[in-house]
């Protein structure tokens, strides 16, 4: 009986050990520097630029999340309710970015968005703009680059949830007198809520820790916490302040996730 109970833990032991050594231990050591090195937290309050960067990071993540959800929802719906051929094609296109390096994809975005790049050339040829638009090293470039990188993290959870929704629910609602739009919002969307929350959380949390995309596509006004932590470690060797920033960011993530969880729970019990 004891061996049977220990069997699953013995199978998990190598993965848990690797996770502890490669993730929990180094992260814990970094966070501990915030308490062992004096003045780490007081510096955050004495220099408002650090809190300003944290607020900037939260704001950018909060803006990117609903945009990614709006763009990913139709794709996930087409994958879940389209033909088998459409599903295979869209699934291939969604998974394709995972086979390409994040750095390569970011540089490819730079080529597309530069002043003489394909995007500006298309806008000029269509007569939409009279001069090339500044699409790099600003908020627009950061949003375009980040959202196209994060779309798969929205589409796949939504697709997994939508696949389990019976099409008969919508037909039943319409047959009982509900308008298509009303049936969508009152029947279909509540069933999609777990996928929406999962995809939104993945995008938001991933965006909070982004470093490569803001560094390459954003500007000075779009500096994010990950860049600030890297500067404190690489340029100034200030591990204590880096740990304090990491701890503050981690606390913000847990706080926002708790708010989202309570909001979802409250909506699930609402009649």
């Amino acid at each position: 009986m004891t061996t049977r109970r220990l069997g699953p833990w013995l199978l998990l032991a190598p993965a848990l050990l690797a996770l502890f050594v490669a993730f929990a231990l180094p992260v814990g050591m970094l966070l501990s520097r915030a308490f062992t090195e004096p003045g780490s937290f007081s510096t955050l309050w004495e220099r408002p630029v650090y809190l300003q960067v944290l607020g900037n990071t939260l704001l950018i993540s909060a803006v990117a999340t609903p945009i990614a959800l709006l763009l990913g929802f139709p794709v996930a719906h087409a994958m879940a309710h389209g033909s088998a051929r459409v599903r295979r094609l869209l699934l291939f296109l969604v998974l394709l970015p995972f086979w390409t390096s994040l750095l390569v994809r970011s540089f490819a975005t730079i080529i597309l968005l530069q002043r003489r790049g394909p995007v500006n050339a298309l806008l000029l040829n269509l007569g939409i703009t009279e001069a090339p638009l500044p699409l790099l090293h600003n908020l627009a470039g950061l949003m375009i680059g980040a959202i196209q990188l994060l779309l798969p993290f929205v589409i796949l959870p939504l697709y997994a949830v939508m696949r389990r929704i019976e099409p008969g629910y919508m037909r039943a609602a319409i047959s009982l007198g509900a308008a298509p739009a009303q049936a969508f919002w009152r029947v279909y969307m509540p069933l999609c809520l777990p996928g929406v929350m999962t995809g939104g959380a993945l995008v938001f949390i991933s965006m909070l820790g982004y470093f490569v995309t803001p560094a390459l596509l954003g500007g000075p006004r779009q500096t994010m916490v990950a860049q600030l932590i890297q500067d404190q470690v690489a340029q100034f060797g200030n591990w204590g302040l880096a740990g304090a920033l990491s701890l503050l960011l981690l606390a913000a993530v847990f706080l926002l996730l708790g708010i989202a969880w309570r909001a979802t729970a409250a909506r699930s019990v609402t009649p």
Side-chain angles (χ1 to χ4, degrees), residues 15-100:
L16 292 176
L17 180 61
L19 185 63
F20 175 77
V21 173
F23 175 73
L25 183 60
V27 171
M29 293 176 64
L30 174 62
L31 297 180
S32 66
R33 292 289 190 95
F35 301 97
T36 58
E37 296 187 10
S40 298
F41 287 103
S42 60
T43 304
L44 296 180
W45 311 114
E46 293 171 358
R47 300 180 182 178
V49 64
Y50 296 123
L51 295 180
Q52 182 180 354
V53 171
L54 177 62
N56 192 41
T57 301
L58 294 173
L59 179 60
I60 292 175
S61 302
V63 172
T65 300
I67 297 176
L69 288 171
L70 289 175
L71 294 177
F73 195 95
V75 180
H77 187 274
M79 290 171 58
H81 302 290
S83 63
R85 182 177 181 181
V86 171
R87 185 180 306 119
R88 288 194 299 268
L89 176 61
L90 291 178
L91 188 60
F92 172 78
L93 294 177
V94 170
L95 294 177
L96 184 61
F98 288 110
W99 305 337
T100 308

Side-chain angles (χ1 to χ4, degrees), residues 36 75-76 87 143 147 166 174 240:
T36 58
V75 180
R87 185 180 306 119
M143 284 296 175
I147 290 173
E166 290 291 338
I174 293 174

